[in-house]
Amino acid sequence: MYQYIAPSFELAVFSCPHCNAIAHQVWDKVYVYNEYSDRFDVLDFVSISSCGNPNCGERSIWFKDKLMYPCLSTAPLPYDDMPSDVKEDFLEARNVVEISPRSAAALLRLALQKLMKHLGQEGEDINKDIGQLVKKGLPVKIQEALDSLRVYGNEAVHPGEIDLKDDKETALKLFKLLNIIVHDMIIQPKEIEELFNRIPPSKLEGIKNRDKK
């Protein structure tokens, strides 16, 4: 399962925006020479984090609490087995989350709507689709993840009680939720089915006979 910790100002460990590895970060201030005072003064609004991965060691530049270099999204990558049409919206959301968390949330809602079709639902009314999955025994935590994506995404499109305009932290968590849903609803069942189907036929027959009792 892909692990990701979003880069965040003064966080000790996160996924390096250069190498993507989860690594310890060394933080340093930036100093400039002041010719009038003949000393070095600290730039309070600029910081540098250095990746502790021995195969990387690259530096990232922060302006106040914002990552300025490299100009990469701090959102996690989609899982490889995410359906291609869902992944397309996920990646588009990832590209805009740094400048517009609200836009990212709206795109993730669209991705969720497309995902519903891959889960055997109509993909027209997300709320209705989730209800149908609940009737089929959907785990409570996955239901909560689905509804969180639905509600936050709706609020991003239609003004309501939740303001995501500058709430990047919440938007980043929505990316994680979509990955969790894909893992539990698509990837994990596929892995279990593939492994089960590799059981010798004689053993499979024994399982079928056992369950007939």
Side-chain angles (χ1 to χ4, degrees):
M1 189 172 178
Y2 174 69
Q3 297 294 318
Y4 180 82
I5 301 176
S8 182
F9 183 62
E10 293 189 337
L11 194 64
V13 176
F14 56 69
S15 297
C16 173
H18 292 279
C19 68
N20 290 322
I22 296 177
H24 179 75
Q25 302 292 321
V26 178
W27 288 88
D28 295 297
K29 293 293 185 180
V30 175
Y31 295 84
V32 295
Y33 177 68
N34 186 331
E35 62 181 17
Y36 298 105
S37 63
D38 191 28
R39 67 180 185 184
F40 287 91
D41 295 332
V42 64
L43 290 180
D44 292 331
F45 49 86
V46 179
S47 300
I48 293 177
S49 60
S50 300
C51 178
N53 178 3
N55 295 318
C56 179
E58 293 287 344
R59 295 177 177 179
S60 300
I61 300 174
W62 300 72
F63 180 77
K64 295 184 178 179
D65 61 346
K66 305 293 184 183
L67 177 63
M68 303 303 294
Y69 170 82
C71 296
L72 298 176
S73 174
T74 56
L77 291 166
Y79 287 152
D80 290 338
D81 287 344
M82 182 178 289
S84 58
D85 57 338
V86 179
K87 185 182 293 186
E88 182 179 353
D89 292 329
F90 188 106
L91 291 173
E92 184 176 351
R94 191 172 183 271
N95 287 336
V96 302
V97 68
E98 303 299 329
I99 58 176
S100 179
R102 183 170 57 183
S103 296
L107 285 165
L108 290 174
R109 181 205 172 279
L110 178 60
L112 177 63
Q113 187 167 355
K114 293 179 179 179
L115 180 62
M116 284 299 171
K117 292 185 177 181
H118 294 278
L119 299 180
Q121 303 305 307
E122 295 180 1
E124 298 296 333
D125 184 334
I126 299 177
N127 190 42
K128 179 181 176 182
D129 289 343
I130 295 174
Q132 291 299 317
L133 290 172
V134 169
K135 291 179 181 178
K136 296 178 181 179
L138 184 73
V140 173
K141 289 303 177 183
I142 299 302
Q143 169 261 306
E144 291 176 350
L146 288 167
D147 276 319
S148 294
L149 266 170
R150 175 182 65 85
V151 171
Y152 281 103
N154 284 341
E155 292 285 315
V157 177
H158 308 289
E161 299 177 20
I162 304 173
D163 185 8
L164 288 173
K165 185 176 181 180
D166 297 311
D167 192 354
K168 189 177 77 170
E169 181 180 356
T170 296
L172 290 175
K173 290 179 180 178
L174 297 181
F175 285 91
K176 291 183 179 180
L177 286 186
L178 189 55
N179 265 338
I180 289 172
I181 293 165
V182 168
H183 179 267
D184 281 27
M185 300 292 289
I186 293 180
I187 298 175
Q188 194 173 60
K190 180 181 177 181
E191 291 176 344
I192 293 173
E193 182 179 10
E194 288 177 351
L195 190 60
F196 184 77
N197 289 336
R198 286 164 53 188
I199 294 176
S202 59
K203 301 294 184 181
L204 287 174
E205 189 66 28
I207 292 173
K208 291 178 181 179
N209 293 332
R210 178 203 63 196
D211 292 341
K212 290 179 181 178
K213 297 179 181 179

